[in-house]
Amino acid sequence: MSYPSPAGSAGVGSAPPEQPTATGQGAGQGAGQGVGPSAGLSGVPAQGRSEASPGTSGGATLVVPERRSAFREGLERFRRSAVTEPGRLRLLGAVLAALVVVFGAVTAWQVSDRADAADDVLLRSQPLSAAAADIYRSLADANTTAASGFLAGGKETPEVRRRYEKDIATAGRLLVEAAANSQGSAGARRQISSLNEWLPRYTGAIETARANNRQGLPLGGAYLRYANDLMETRLLPAAQDLYRAETAQLDRDYAAAKSWPWAALALGTVALGALGWAQRRHYRRTNRVFNQGLLGASVVTGVVLLWLAAGHTFARAGLEESDRDGARSLQVLNEARIGALQAHGNEGLKMVSRGAVTVGDKDKYEAGYGDSMNGLAGPDAAHQQGSLVQRALDLADDDAGRVPVEKAIVGVRTWQGRHTGVLEADNIGDYQTAVDRVIGTGDKESTGQCFDVVDASLAKAIAHEQAEFVQAARDGRDALGGLAIGAAVLAVLGAAGAVLGIGRRLSEYR
């Protein structure tokens, strides 16, 4: 029995129905389609590759799936899940948790930086600035005391000698402390090295001058002027540069401690807004007013953001108060105290040199006295505005700070009147009377006593302002206490709340 061939073709070799054709598609493809390998390739799907199957006579094809990387597989799955509500919820939960965690991390980082800068202000840069001012003051006072002792000749009192030695010892001790703590400034270290180099030379010249002076040798005056030149050209400029370097570091630390943490504030605002939007989305899709997890995350984020803003505001206020009422006042008072020392030192050196050192047609040391006194308090009460004592009086914020400055102003005015008497005695050739009116020998109303009153009053004002600085700076630093750790912990809790809130919504799809 024979079977008819399809499409009008006849042939004895036609395959019965239960035997597939070589192409796997039947012979009913119509005329023009062959049964060889080329005909088999024409039906290969686009996603795969066709190969001849072994053991088949007609070149049968085998489809091999295309290989894809794990990343592409994951991306494809993500795309498929992102178009479903559960997938969107998972993505939303991950984004919210990441925002809260990043907000907490940035807050902890920026708060830590500002707390470290506040610590530097309180414990390092301001104390170093004050120490540099004390180094300058100790050196200037030692130079002034040495000149006073030289004027006394063989009558130099033990008190004067002890005061000089105390000043030199104080300067040496403060230099050691500054060298140990001044870590960031190469300029400061360079000035400390210069001071350590020239201080022994200065003390050696002073001892030589004292020895010659006790023997009545005029060479002592030359050694004293040489020591004074070392002080004026080497030691005091180096001490002044050290003071400026440490004061500049103090200003940088203040700026770092008071700068606003804008990145943390911006991230906190974004995180809080995103949590609010997520809760609104939840309400619109489910008609449920609250999602406990998202609500808890919002509360935690709001607490951290409010804590950050309030804590930094209080810290900034405390640091600004310490700067305005403490550090600035201290700088002006230290400069005033140094000005008084320079004026008194120039008075003594004028007596030592006896007009031998001039600048133009003026005595060098008398001109120096005038410059120092004008900067300290002005030439008289009518021209006091802008002087150091007037600025210190303006910066004093209470009676405890104002009263010592007012007493110093009175002492300066008395000093200026007595200095006129020194000039009068010196101009008529009464050298011994002029010396007595400077150092106080035989005359209780001396300029030296006025200087002591001014110096003691300014020292009292400095002590008061230093205490105010420490208190205000400590308050500012403490306002940031615990904020870094608290922000990190609360951020983790907030992220957990966001994940739990989204997880509860996801459970409704299971």
Side-chain angles (χ1 to χ4, degrees):
M1 180 175 181
S2 63
Y3 298 93
S5 59
S9 61
V12 180
S14 300
E18 55 268 31
Q19 294 181 357
T21 61
T23 63
Q25 298 176 0
Q29 299 280 344
Q33 284 187 326
V35 295
S38 60
L41 290 174
S42 65
V44 176
Q47 292 85 359
R49 176 184 172 192
S50 298
E51 296 180 357
S53 176
T56 60
S57 59
T61 59
L62 178 64
V63 177
V64 180
E66 181 184 5
R67 293 185 177 181
R68 291 183 295 180
S69 65
F71 174 76
R72 289 188 61 188
E73 277 294 332
L75 186 61
E76 185 63 29
R77 289 180 183 177
F78 175 76
R79 286 175 180 172
R80 288 196 299 267
S81 65
V83 298
T84 65
E85 181 61 13
R88 294 192 191 99
L89 288 173
R90 291 188 184 93
L91 178 61
L92 180 61
V95 170
L96 291 176
L99 271 176
V100 175
V101 169
V102 171
F103 166 52
V106 173
T107 298
W109 164 53
Q110 291 200 308
V111 168
S112 295
D113 277 354
R114 281 147 185 79
D116 290 343
D119 270 338
D120 286 340
V121 167
L122 178 62
L123 303 176
R124 193 179 68 84
S125 52
Q126 196 281 329
L128 282 175
S129 176
D134 282 342
I135 290 172
Y136 192 107
R137 188 204 64 79
S138 297
L139 292 174
D141 189 62
N143 199 47
T144 299
T145 304
S148 298
F150 188 90
L151 286 174
K155 300 178 182 179
E156 181 183 18
T157 63
E159 290 77 11
V160 171
R161 177 66 177 172
R162 282 195 296 269
R163 180 170 178 170
Y164 167 81
E165 292 175 347
K166 181 182 177 181
D167 285 332
I168 295 299
T170 299
R173 175 178 56 81
L174 292 175
L175 279 173
V176 172
E177 293 179 3
N181 297 315
S182 185
Q183 302 171 356
S185 173
R189 292 195 297 271
R190 185 168 56 251
Q191 302 309 325
I192 292 171
S193 176
S194 178
L195 287 166
N196 284 324
E197 176 185 356
W198 290 102
L199 185 57
R201 301 188 187 186
Y202 169 81
T203 56
I206 288 294
E207 294 305 321
T208 303
R210 179 177 285 114
N212 282 276
N213 188 45
R214 285 177 177 176
Q215 298 176 39
L217 300 176
L219 191 60
Y223 272 104
L224 183 66
R225 288 192 295 273
Y226 169 68
N228 180 70
D229 286 340
L230 288 181
M231 181 63 72
E232 290 187 344
T233 61
R234 298 290 185 176
L235 289 166
L236 292 183
Q240 188 173 38
D241 289 343
L242 176 62
Y243 174 72
R244 290 172 178 169
E246 298 298 353
T247 302
Q249 182 61 48
L250 174 61
D251 292 340
R252 288 192 293 270
D253 288 339
Y254 261 122
K258 293 190 293 185
S259 62
W260 283 97
W262 293 116
L265 292 170
L267 278 171
T269 304
V270 170
L272 196 59
L275 287 166
W277 174 84
Q279 290 177 86
R280 183 172 182 273
R281 180 182 185 275
H282 174 74
Y283 168 73
R284 294 182 64 184
R285 289 177 179 265
T286 65
N287 288 327
R288 293 170 184 164
V289 178
F290 296 118
N291 178 291
Q292 293 179 351
L294 293 177
L295 181 62
S298 299
V299 170
V300 167
T301 303
V303 167
V304 174
L305 187 60
L306 182 62
W307 189 5
L308 172 63
H312 188 76
T313 298
F314 283 116
R316 186 182 176 91
L319 290 169
E320 285 181 345
E321 181 183 354
S322 73
D323 186 17
R324 181 185 62 253
D325 298 336
R328 293 181 191 175
S329 294
L330 285 170
Q331 291 176 15
V332 174
L333 288 168
N334 281 321
E335 290 175 10
R337 200 175 181 194
I338 289 168
L341 282 164
Q342 290 173 334
H344 188 51
N346 281 315
E347 260 189 332
L349 289 168
K350 172 182 169 58
M351 297 295 99
V352 172
S353 66
R354 299 190 181 189
V357 183
T358 59
V359 177
D361 58 348
K362 295 182 179 180
D363 183 270
K364 174 184 175 181
Y365 300 112
E366 180 61 27
Y369 163 84
D371 292 340
S372 298
M373 188 59 73
N374 288 340
L376 173 63
D380 51 49
H383 300 86
Q384 184 174 298
Q385 194 66 30
S387 64
L388 290 170
V389 291
Q390 184 61 53
R391 288 166 56 196
L393 192 61
D394 293 339
L395 287 170
D397 62 330
D398 56 15
D399 290 340
R402 281 190 291 268
V403 170
V405 177
E406 290 172 348
K407 187 175 181 180
I409 293 174
V410 173
V412 169
R413 298 302 170 217
T414 305
W415 182 357
Q416 288 174 318
R418 292 180 183 180
H419 182 76
T420 302
V422 173
L423 292 180
E424 291 173 353
D426 188 48
N427 288 337
I428 63 175
D430 191 354
Y431 176 75
Q432 189 59 49
T433 299
V435 169
D436 291 343
R437 288 180 176 178
V438 171
I439 64 176
T441 304
D443 186 358
K444 294 182 179 180
E445 295 184 350
S446 66
T447 60
Q449 288 179 326
C450 294
F451 163 74
D452 289 338
V453 170
V454 172
D455 188 65
S457 299
L458 292 175
K460 185 176 180 180
I462 287 172
H464 172 71
E465 298 297 338
Q466 181 68 30
E468 283 204 331
F469 163 80
V470 170
Q471 184 60 49
R474 183 177 289 125
D475 290 343
R477 181 197 62 180
D478 292 346
L480 298 174
L483 179 53
I485 296 176
V489 172
L490 290 176
V492 172
L493 293 177
V499 170
L500 290 175
I502 296 296
R504 179 159 185 164
R505 179 79 176 96
L506 276 171
S507 66
E508 299 172 0
Y509 288 88
R510 296 179 186 139

